[in-house]
Each structure stands twice: as structure tokens, then as C-alpha cells.
Amino acid sequence: MAKDEPDDDTLPDKDAAKGFYAKYEPKEVLGRGISSVVRRCIDKETGKEYAAKIIDLGASEHNDSRQMLEATRQEINILRQVMGHPYIIELQDVFESDAFIFLVFELCRHGELFDYLTSVVTLSEKKTRYIMRQIFEGVDYIHARNIVHRDLKPENILLDDSLNVKITDFGFARHLNDGAKLYDLCGTPGYLAPETLKCNMFEDAPGYSKEVDMWACGVIMFTLLVGCPPFWHRKQMIMLRNIMEGKYSFMSPEWSDISEDPKDLIRKCLVVDPEKRINVREALKHPFFNTVMRRQSQFNAKKKFQFAILTVRAMIRIQRLRYTPEPLDIEEALRDPYRVKVLRKVIDACAFRVYGHWVKKGEGQNRAALFENQPKVELHNLYIHQLQK
Ligand code: ADP
Ligand code: MG
């Protein structure tokens, strides 16, 4: 749609803000950025819900409003190039005014993948496969259009009503011709690729390209599986040094239950040399996404052994149940002590001690009487009567 539009360099229409408020009714805040607020809004005519990113052109201390305007126009331009894919956010409407720009997006009711992960702590391999496949498919679509996102992270991956991925925030995205390189430092520290950091450190750094998104995907995937990121350190300098050296590990105990395929894919994303890093097409062909059937039937000695131990433990518990006395309710014991197995044994033993001499050999009848467990009606009533007094 906008790809063919001429680059409009005139100042925005002053009445555009009015246009937004005439069409949409803004509601509660869904999220915030450095100079933007995202609110749920309702189309007054259709009643359909959207998310409006309201960018305050005068809010940033570092950029003047002209720069902000240019940056937002670039974001809009890229959004229009990547739209139309199920895993990429859909831009619905744009309104520009002197002070504000309104970007109206499809609404992602389930919010950020970041918050989802926080609520569930970690994702299973199966869930990680589901989410990562969608992220890679979205990235494939973006890269195929020669665009690099540069800020992939769980905060910029939204989840729609069916918990499907929507890649968003193309604020740092750039169009790159074949072989072209970028040099500026932008993104989020924990997700920065080594080659991006090198641009900031060395004059003669070769620059970076689309591979930085694959590095970020590796960081995301690691984080989804175990809940913590691969390159975190209290001191940011140490974290950055670890990134430069590609120093991370699968040593924490959480990794012991995770199979080899996802680890292998993460290893291939977190390769320091961007030329040797896996690209998005290769990632989608990785066994992690393609050998579900084989993996299910694969023999895993450790898992089998753990399962056997659990089964034996369960059997022992069931067997022991026979010897575990049932909980004794004092009311019940008072009302009908003979019904309780342990008490019955005690009563029988006492009864035999007292009346055993009555039991005559060869006379089964009075032996049975000693096991009589229904109180005689008159005696029972008398007993209850006395208790109530
Ligand atoms: P910024 O460039 O300022 O980071 P984002 O586009 O990432 O702005 O939006 C900021 C936050 O607003 C997101 O992280 C998310 O929580 C929320 N948000 C953005 N777009 C949507 C949407 N379409 N549906 C629901 N929430 C959204
Ligand atoms: Mg963001």
C-alpha cells in the first residue's frame, strides 16, 4: 500500500488528531515505550477493538520532533512492507498531527510474550517449538523483504487471542540491500549480537546485517526454555564481554531435562561469527521443528529409568496403604467404635479376655455372639441418652 506512495515531506495535517478521536475512542493503557503510549481503542462505527500507539513528537529529550517524525515515518514505511503475514502485526490506520502520531494496530489481547513467560516461568519444549516456529516464520518473511528488525525480544513479540505470535515494534527496523551493512548501536543489551557490539568498539568493524536477528532468536529461545537469559550478569560490562565471546552454558540443572535438538538450534543461533551463524531458512529446517515423530519414539535411557523409579515408588505406596490406619474420626469412634478396624481388634481382644471362658468348644453360636457388632437397641438408646446429659 504505502510502498509506492511518494515520500511526503510536508508537515502533518493539524487536524489529524481530531480525525483519530472522531473515529476511535481511546481506552486503557496497554503498554509504554520511551516516547509512546499504547492504548486499547474502539472503532466508534464498527465497535471493533484496536491498539493505538500514540507517539508524542515532543516527548524525547534527545531527538527533536523532526527526527522523531522521520523515525516514525520510517517505522510506518517498514510496517507497510511487512504487513500481511499471520505472525506480523497488522497496521490498520495512521494519523499524523504536529505533536502526535497515531498508529492503529490490530489488538493483541494476550499482550507480550515477556509477560506470558513471566506468568508461566518456563515453556515446555513443545510450547517453545510452537512459539519459535512462528517467530522464525515471521523473521523469514521480514528477511525475505531485505529488512532487519534489530530489536527482537519477548517484549516486542505479542500474542493474539489464539496465543499466536505477532512480531511488533519496527522502530529500529531497516531496509538493507544485498551486501549492505549497518554500524549503529541499537537494540536491547541482553539481545545484542557480538558484531553489533564490535561496531561500537572498533573503528574498522565490518558492520552487521540480518544475522543479528538470528542471534536475538537464540537468546529468546534459550530464555523461553529455562526462564533466564544466556548472557545475564549483574555487571553489564561482564555481560557484554560474555556476549562478545559467546560465553554461555547449558550447565544449569534445568537443562538436564531438555533434549539435544533445541540445544543444538540455540548453539547454531549463538555463533559469534555471523557468517557461520544459522540463517532463518536453515533454522526452520532444523530437526527441532521437523522430527517430532522420530523424537517421540526415540529411546531415552534416562527418561525410561526415571519413569521406572516413579512406577516402583507408586506401587510401594499403594501396597503400604493396606497397613496405613485410616484416619480416626472421634465422633464416629464414639458413636460406633466397632466399625473402626483398629478399635474392633482392641474390643474383640478385650471381649475375649473377659468373656473368653464362655466360648465353649464345639459351640460356634456363642463365639459368634462375641463378634456381635450391632448394639442392642435399648442399650444404644440408653448410652446416647447418657452422653447427651
Ligand atoms: P516502543 O517502540 O515504544 O517500544 P511498542 O510498539 O513496542 O513501542 O509498544 C509498547 C508496548 O505496548 C508493547 O511492548 C506492548 O506491551 C504494547 N502493545 C503494542 N502494540 C500492541 C498491540 N497491538 N496489542 C496489544 N498491546 C500492544
Ligand atoms: Mg517495544
Side-chain angles (χ1 to χ4, degrees):
M1 157 160 70
K3 242 187 287 180
D4 310 320
E5 277 178 16
D7 199 0
D8 179 13
D9 214 22
T10 54
L11 273 172
D13 172 11
K14 284 193 169 104
D15 291 333
K18 280 191 200 144
F20 170 77
Y21 290 109
K23 195 168 175 197
Y24 297 96
E25 195 183 323
K27 295 284 182 188
E28 78 279 4
V29 172
L30 298 170
R32 286 176 196 276
I34 303 166
S35 49
S36 72
V37 179
V38 178
R39 283 180 183 275
R40 183 171 70 88
C41 64
I42 298 173
D43 184 325
K44 290 180 184 171
E45 209 172 285
T46 63
K48 235 186 128 189
E49 293 173 296
Y50 295 95
K53 180 167 170 175
I54 304 165
I55 299 160
D56 184 350
L57 293 174
S60 173
E61 291 167 12
H62 309 294
N63 295 327
D64 62 35
S65 64
R66 185 84 202 174
Q67 267 177 316
M68 281 281 286
L69 177 66
E70 283 315 313
T72 311
R73 281 184 178 168
Q74 186 150 20
E75 183 176 346
I76 295 167
N77 191 26
I78 287 193
L79 274 164
R80 285 177 170 160
Q81 291 179 56
V82 293
M83 254 167 36
H85 187 276
Y87 306 136
I88 294 175
I89 198 81
E90 197 83 5
L91 180 65
Q92 175 76 16
D93 235 338
V94 179
F95 298 87
E96 283 188 15
S97 78
D98 283 4
F100 294 97
I101 298 183
F102 303 83
L103 305 184
V104 183
F105 293 100
E106 65 177 309
L107 177 67
C108 294
R109 232 177 284 271
H110 283 275
E112 301 171 10
L113 175 60
F114 182 90
D115 292 320
Y116 177 68
L117 181 65
T118 308
S119 70
V120 296
V121 186
T122 59
L123 299 192
S124 64
E125 279 185 41
K126 194 172 159 197
K127 201 87 204 224
T128 303
R129 178 179 300 113
Y130 184 82
I131 300 267
M132 286 311 300
R133 191 203 301 273
Q134 296 189 347
I135 295 176
F136 281 127
E137 281 183 11
V139 170
D140 183 28
Y141 191 80
I142 297 168
H143 285 186
R145 274 144 195 80
N146 279 329
I147 289 167
V148 49
H149 185 285
R150 297 205 290 181
D151 200 17
L152 290 175
K153 56 179 175 176
E155 293 90 320
N156 288 336
I157 291 162
L158 305 178
L159 299 169
D160 72 3
D161 292 2
S162 334
L163 285 173
N164 282 327
V165 156
K166 298 279 175 182
I167 299 177
T168 187
D169 197 351
F170 287 78
F172 288 138
R174 288 288 175 278
H175 190 276
L176 268 181
N177 291 321
D178 269 350
K181 297 279 179 188
L182 293 165
Y183 296 88
D184 50 328
L185 181 75
C186 69
T188 306
Y191 299 84
L192 290 176
E195 62 270 28
T196 311
L197 291 174
K198 274 180 198 152
C199 287
N200 200 44
M201 288 176 168
F202 310 114
E203 284 284 301
D204 58 347
Y208 64 88
S209 180
K210 287 182 236 172
E211 301 85 6
V212 296
D213 287 342
M214 293 308 291
W215 177 276
C217 284
V219 178
I220 295 171
M221 188 168 159
F222 186 110
T223 314
L224 293 184
L225 282 166
V226 290
C228 67
F231 298 108
W232 189 86
H233 197 282
R234 204 165 31 85
K235 292 182 181 150
Q236 204 178 68
M237 271 316 289
I238 299 180
M239 180 186 82
L240 297 177
R241 200 173 67 202
N242 289 343
I243 294 175
M244 298 278 283
E245 293 169 4
K247 216 164 104 187
Y248 67 96
S249 85
F250 296 126
M251 294 305 280
S252 67
E254 295 88 352
W255 284 104
S256 61
D257 294 332
I258 294 169
S259 66
E260 191 48 37
D261 283 345
K263 289 180 191 166
D264 186 68
L265 180 52
I266 291 170
R267 259 186 227 113
K268 287 179 168 144
C269 290
L270 299 181
V271 169
V272 173
D273 181 352
E275 302 217 346
K276 295 188 181 133
R277 197 173 300 152
I278 197 170
N279 68 34
V280 68
R281 288 277 158 90
E282 291 163 347
L284 282 165
K285 288 192 194 120
H286 188 274
F288 179 55
F289 297 118
N290 297 293
T291 54
V292 182
M293 296 313 287
R294 182 175 62 81
R295 286 185 66 258
Q296 273 175 354
S297 60
Q298 234 175 23
F299 177 74
N300 181 335
K302 193 175 169 196
K303 282 244 156 79
K304 275 260 170 330
F305 186 59
Q306 283 173 335
F307 186 71
I309 290 176
L310 279 177
T311 315
V312 171
R313 273 197 189 156
M315 287 298 294
I316 292 172
R317 272 198 201 145
I318 291 166
Q319 279 181 339
R320 276 193 191 147
L321 267 182
R322 265 201 307 158
Y323 308 108
T324 314
E326 50 183 323
L328 184 54
D329 183 340
I330 195 81
E331 309 268 8
E332 171 80 0
L334 268 173
R335 191 159 27 85
D336 189 1
Y338 205 75
R339 219 190 62 78
V340 184
K341 196 174 157 193
V342 271
L343 291 184
R344 189 157 68 233
K345 284 204 165 160
V346 176
I347 296 165
D348 287 345
C350 290
F352 267 76
R353 238 190 356 253
V354 178
Y355 303 111
H357 59 280
W358 281 3
V359 179
K360 298 258 165 41
K361 280 185 185 153
E363 288 186 36
Q365 228 12 63
N366 55 8
R367 169 178 283 276
L370 274 180
F371 291 94
E372 177 71 71
N373 63 3
Q374 291 298 316
K376 290 261 189 284
V377 177
E378 311 86 345
L379 286 177
H380 183 252
N381 289 346
L382 181 69
Y383 182 61
I384 296 290
H385 185 67
Q386 277 176 347
L387 268 186
Q388 282 167 350
K389 266 206 250 172

